[in-house]
Amino acid sequence: MPTATATDALTDPERQFLGCLMQMPARSARRLLAGMRATDFTGGMAAHVLQLAIEVVAADHTPAPVTLYTHALATGQAPGEKRREWLSGWLVDTYRDAPPPALAHHLKAVLLEAAWRRALLAHARRIEQAASSSPTAALRELADDTAAIDELWTRYQAATTAPTHLEVAA
């Protein structure tokens, strides 16, 4: 497990997003999570916590730290004493150092843009590697295979649409 620093919860947009999310009621959290996937995150613990939040909100519960923690325990997603200690500390730090929930939509757009850029770069690397030695037909197929990138672009574009004041307040 990578070592987290004291400033991670203050400087990491994934943790900032999750901190905002943990302050929201279930209904607002559900709207915020629309279009989000745990695979959009790079951080192992952040991706894990996002998946916990998705599951908790899908069950119509508020994604507060205690709810995420108890869900992880109940579903076996925090095995072992060290993992439970790390998860509880990570949740507390992230919640405590979170920005106001009003920034959540902006952070969502930032995170989805970064995920889209990573997917695009990974695709470009696959094409680069294949360009020198793959058969032309396989290379053509790889070049046209952008469904995942296009889907991420659509989710990113949806996140850049500013929510109305009613959506933020709800």
Side-chain angles (χ1 to χ4, degrees):
M1 290 179 210
T3 305
T5 67
T7 59
D8 284 350
L10 293 170
T11 59
D12 179 0
E14 292 179 357
R15 287 185 79 168
Q16 291 285 278
F17 173 82
L18 290 166
C20 289
L21 181 70
M22 286 188 249
Q23 298 175 56
M24 297 179 148
R27 188 171 161 204
S28 298
R30 180 184 306 277
R31 282 193 301 276
L32 181 65
L33 287 172
M36 297 294 294
R37 316 268 186 283
T39 55
D40 295 335
F41 283 15
T42 59
M45 184 58 90
H48 177 69
V49 171
L50 179 60
Q51 184 59 44
L52 291 172
I54 290 168
E55 293 169 12
V56 162
V57 170
D60 223 15
H61 299 291
T62 298
V66 68
T67 308
L68 297 173
Y69 182 77
T70 56
H71 178 71
L73 294 180
T75 58
Q77 295 183 58
E81 184 178 343
K82 290 288 185 199
R83 178 77 174 181
R84 288 190 299 274
E85 285 177 19
W86 190 36
L87 175 62
S88 65
W90 196 96
L91 289 169
V92 167
D93 289 346
T94 301
Y95 181 78
R96 179 194 62 223
D97 297 334
L103 292 177
H105 291 280
H106 168 73
L107 290 165
K108 176 180 178 177
V110 167
L111 293 170
L112 287 174
E113 178 186 1
W116 174 75
R117 288 178 180 274
R118 282 191 308 276
L120 192 60
L121 181 59
H123 184 70
R125 286 184 178 144
R126 284 191 301 275
I127 290 173
E128 180 183 34
Q129 290 171 349
S132 62
S133 60
S134 293
T136 328
L139 188 57
R140 172 73 179 156
E141 195 172 301
L142 180 60
D144 287 343
D145 185 18
T146 61
I149 296 167
D150 296 341
E151 188 264 343
L152 244 171
W153 173 259
T154 301
R155 292 190 288 126
Y156 163 60
Q157 288 300 298
T160 60
T161 305
T164 67
H165 70 285
L166 295 176
E167 291 174 328
V168 173

